[in-house]
Amino acid sequence: MAASHIQAVIFDLDGVITDTAEYHYLAWKKLADELNIPFNRNFNEALKGVSRMDSLKKIISRAQPAPSFSEDELNRLADRKNEYYKEYIQQITPDDLLPGITDLMKEIKQKGIKIGLASASKNAMVVLEKLGITSFFDGIVDAATIEHGKPDPEIFLAAARQLHAESASCVGIEDAEAGIQAIKAAGMFAVGIGTADKMKEAGLRVEGTQKLSFIKIESAYLLKNKE
Ligand code: BG6
Ligand code: MG
C-alpha cells in the first residue's frame, strides 16, 4: 500500500539535472567514428542510463563484422571514451543546471522532503561539484558500489535506504527508458522527462525540466495512490 505523502525525491543526474547526456553522446560518437562503427543519436537513446562498459558493448555489437576485443582492449576503449567525456565536463558551471531544477530542489527541501541521487555515472560527484549543488543531497548512491545497473532497481533501492524512506513513498525522476523501468521495479512513482514514445511507462511525463514543479509531481503521485 503506497504511503499518502512523498518522503523522498530521487534524481537521475545525466539528462535530468544537467545536459551531460549530450556530452556522453559526443564522447561515444568520437570513439565510434574512430572505430568506424555506425553510431547516431537514435541509437544513443538506448544507451541512456546504461553503464560505461555495457554501453561500449552495445556499440561494438553494431559493427559489421563484429570485432572481438580482449578484456584489456575493452577497458582501454572505455577509458578512452571517459577521457573524451572528462574533457567535456571540465566546462560545466552552475549555469548548466537545466531550467527549473534549482527551484524544484529548493521547494522539495522547504517541504522537509529528502533529496537523493541515483546516477549510473562514476563521474557524478565531479559533475555535482561543478554545478555547485552537492549540498542539496541527503543521499548519493555511488555507481561504483552498485552491482546491477538500470533497469535493475538496485540503485534506486539503495538511494531510498540511504534516505530512510520507504520505496512506495519515493518519487524517481529520469530521462532514460532504463531508468523509468528501474524506478518502477523499485516500487516508486516515476517521473519521466522526454518524448511520449520514450516515456510511456512514466506515471507523469513532461517534455522538459522547465515543465517540472513539485505541485505537479505531488498531484500525479497522490492520484496514482488513489487508484
Ligand atoms: C548514465 C548515463 O548516467 O551514466 C550513461 O546516462 C552513462 O550514458 C552512464 O554511460 C555511466 O557514466 P560514466 O560517467 O560512469 O561513464
Ligand atoms: Mg539520465
Side-chain angles (χ1 to χ4, degrees), residues 151-183:
D152 191 280
E154 184 181 355
I155 195 161
F156 282 96
L157 292 172
R161 255 196 317 277
Q162 269 197 24
L163 301 170
H164 305 291
E166 293 157 36
S167 287
S169 310
C170 292
V171 171
I173 310 183
E174 266 286 353
D175 69 320
E177 284 179 280
I180 296 290
Q181 286 164 16
I183 294 169

Side-chain angles (χ1 to χ4, degrees), residues 27-206:
W28 282 129
K29 175 73 180 148
K30 191 166 174 186
L31 184 76
D33 285 352
E34 286 165 0
L35 297 173
N36 277 319
I37 298 176
F39 186 71
N40 57 29
R41 285 183 185 276
N42 191 38
F43 180 68
N44 182 63
E45 285 298 311
L47 305 183
K48 288 187 174 173
V50 176
S51 75
R52 195 181 308 161
M53 189 49 81
D54 287 349
S55 298
L56 175 63
K57 287 179 179 164
K58 278 179 192 255
I59 291 170
I60 289 171
S61 71
R62 300 187 88 210
Q64 288 296 341
S68 106
F69 290 112
S70 70
E71 208 166 311
D72 272 0
E73 286 167 325
L74 286 175
N75 284 329
R76 273 199 294 276
L77 290 172
D79 286 349
R80 207 204 292 178
K81 181 267 177 177
N82 196 43
E83 288 308 314
Y84 299 151
Y85 180 70
K86 284 196 315 199
E87 272 172 41
Y88 285 118
I89 61 175
Q90 279 312 311
Q91 48 188 293
I92 292 177
T93 71
D95 287 343
D96 292 305
L97 278 158
L98 282 170
I101 288 295
T102 314
D103 287 346
L104 177 63
M105 286 190 171
K106 283 184 183 158
E107 224 185 324
I108 295 169
K109 274 249 164 285
Q110 274 162 11
K111 303 223 176 256
I113 295 169
K114 298 268 171 61
I115 298 182
L117 188 87
S119 171
S121 172
K122 292 181 178 153
N123 293 293
M125 289 309 295
V126 177
V127 174
L128 288 186
E129 287 295 330
K130 288 200 161 283
L131 292 169
I133 54 164
T134 311
S135 62
F136 268 113
F137 291 89
D138 302 294
I140 294 173
V141 180
D142 182 4
T145 65
I146 294 300
E147 215 171 304
H148 308 287
K150 301 167 188 178
D152 191 280
E154 184 181 355
I155 195 161
F156 282 96
L157 292 172
R161 255 196 317 277
Q162 269 197 24
L163 301 170
H164 305 291
E166 293 157 36
S167 287
S169 310
C170 292
V171 171
I173 310 183
E174 266 286 353
D175 69 320
E177 284 179 280
I180 296 290
Q181 286 164 16
I183 294 169
K184 294 188 75 173
M188 301 177 183
F189 183 73
V191 177
I193 297 165
T195 55
D197 59 325
K198 298 276 178 329
M199 291 291 124
K200 42 185 178 297
E201 300 292 324
L204 169 69
R205 179 187 76 83
V206 292

